[in-house]
Amino acid sequence: MRIDLSGLHSGKRECNLFFAILVFIVILAVWGNGARQKRLAETAHEKSLFAMDTYFSLRAYGPNAEAGLTLCEDRVRELEKLLSVTAEGSDVWRIDQEQAASVAEDTFRLIGEALRIGEQTDGALDITLYPVLRAWGFTTGDYRIPEKQELAELLTAVDYRAVALEGGSHSVTVPEGVQIDLGAVAKGYTGDVLIDILRQQGVTSAILDLGGNVQTLGTKPDGTPWRVAVRNPFDRSQVAGVLEVNDMCVITSGGYERYFTGEDGQIYWHILDPVNGMPARNGLVSVTVVGEQGVRCDALSTALFVMGKDRAVAFWKQQGDFDMILITEDGELILTEGLRDCFESGADWAEQVVYID
Ligand code: ADP
Ligand code: MG
């Protein structure tokens, strides 16, 4: 009996051909992707600005990056004009001077979000702290230590629940003596707006550093994650660690960001506890929040700093939509479980790292 193997042979030939084509396609795809990534990397554009009382450094890649960054700069100037507490005629200035103002949609949305987070954090974030911040000189740089009595009087006008929003007319009303300041949230909101602009322009790879608030779009042009340093609050020239993230915000509030040393030799920093009007000293020296939305991360980094370790951990367990890194006065580095695979601790820190879940 003869077995006809010709069909089998031609089947094998087809199979080989198919395999060869497949390999060719894969090689083309890899090569094409490599070339695309190389092109992207070669089209880096940067913009540095002084805005919102700090330095912004914006970097985007790709053919639309330059146009996108120009739009970003215009938008930053627009937001600055609306949100500055000191610029005469800004939305915030008008609320503070006139107790009632019809404001731009940006201002309205941002205040709404800040009040919601004020509510969630039980007032740890309170945008009506402005009179107290001013008394300490944090808004002008003329630092002083206010008397207990002065703080007690100023605190009678601190209550975020006194801010009333009216959606139809976008009007914001506050009682006499109540003044707001969006310093804890404005940069995070601005970062969200800029990321949106870049995305709409077709940019797929960008990293924005808004005075230490880092917000990323996509991955690095070579497809690897962005690497964002978390400063060592005890020695700012060093890092406590490095985070690898894509499409995420990494926003830190630290006592070391803005502070002065009083005549008593004590350090007084710019994040205040709304309970007593004093710089918040609840065991933390730095809080980094990692999440998708800049405004929320910014608001929470300030609020968690005020809350201290135990309340911050309880809040994280209850909310669960962000990750965080807490650095305590004792040099402990506490991270939430979600960061385990994307955090690399700096020299001398490995021993201090604790994960919570
Ligand atoms: P930074 O502006 O240094 O990045 P934050 O985002 O933590 O840091 O914002 C701190 C600013 O927020 C302060 O300069 C002050 O204007 C304001 N602020 C301070 N304490 C509070 C608080 N408990 N609630 C709301 N705003 C605050
Ligand atoms: Mg903040």
Side-chain angles (χ1 to χ4, degrees), residues 7-251:
L8 194 63
H9 278 277
S10 77
K12 202 172 165 196
R13 251 199 319 275
E14 273 166 25
C15 186
N16 282 345
L17 187 66
F18 174 72
F19 185 68
I21 291 173
L22 193 70
V23 168
F24 184 65
I25 289 173
V26 168
I27 289 171
L28 263 189
V30 170
W31 180 75
N33 196 34
R36 195 183 67 87
Q37 285 173 351
K38 192 157 173 275
R39 268 200 313 278
L40 256 186
E42 281 164 0
T43 51
H45 285 278
E46 301 214 23
K47 200 171 261 299
S48 300
L49 316 168
F50 186 79
M52 301 187 173
D53 215 17
T54 186
Y55 291 95
F56 285 15
S57 158
L58 319 177
R59 179 147 40 100
Y61 296 85
N64 305 331
E66 193 171 14
L69 290 179
T70 303
L71 292 174
C72 284
E73 177 168 13
D74 295 346
R75 200 68 170 91
V76 168
R77 297 301 173 209
E78 211 174 281
L79 288 173
E80 203 176 20
K81 275 201 196 114
L82 296 175
L83 305 178
S84 162
V85 67
T86 47
E88 209 173 312
S90 78
D91 278 356
V92 173
W93 187 89
R94 286 187 301 118
I95 294 166
D96 289 352
Q97 301 306 309
E98 296 158 13
Q99 275 88 58
S102 176
V103 299
E105 186 168 348
D106 285 307
T107 317
F108 194 79
R109 277 179 34 205
L110 178 53
I111 294 176
E113 188 59 24
L115 295 178
R116 253 190 307 282
I117 297 180
E119 194 81 46
Q120 283 177 2
T121 60
D122 212 7
L125 182 83
D126 194 324
I127 57 169
T128 65
L129 265 174
Y130 185 54
V132 185
L133 282 159
R134 211 175 32 209
W136 282 95
F138 284 116
T139 52
T140 54
D142 293 331
Y143 300 123
R144 58 186 273 275
I145 306 169
E147 296 290 333
K148 284 260 171 321
Q149 178 63 22
E150 183 184 354
L151 286 178
E153 274 163 30
L154 290 172
L155 281 170
T156 60
V158 173
D159 186 357
Y160 66 96
R161 288 164 300 194
V163 181
L165 300 182
E166 206 279 300
S169 57
H170 281 180
S171 71
V172 183
T173 314
V174 294
E176 173 99 42
V178 172
Q179 294 190 319
I180 67 162
D181 148 59
L182 301 175
V185 289
K187 281 185 287 168
Y189 180 80
T190 302
D192 290 336
V193 169
L194 302 189
I195 290 281
D196 265 356
I197 290 176
L198 293 172
R199 194 177 274 132
Q200 276 167 25
Q201 290 299 305
V203 173
T204 55
S205 178
I207 185 161
L208 314 180
D209 181 342
L210 314 185
N213 283 17
V214 178
Q215 299 195 213
T216 64
L217 171 60
T219 63
K220 285 208 290 202
D222 66 3
T224 61
W226 299 104
R227 289 171 60 79
V228 182
V230 177
R231 284 233 170 93
N232 172 352
F234 304 105
D235 175 359
R236 298 193 59 203
S237 64
Q238 304 286 318
V239 299
V242 175
L243 276 168
E244 291 200 329
V245 293
N246 299 326
D247 275 318
M248 281 283 167
C249 312
V250 179
I251 295 184

Side-chain angles (χ1 to χ4, degrees), residues 124-126 129 133 181 183-184 187 253 257 270-272 298 302:
L125 182 83
D126 194 324
L129 265 174
L133 282 159
D181 148 59
K187 281 185 287 168
S253 283
E257 294 283 354
H270 70 144
I271 300 174
L272 303 184
D298 200 2
T302 309

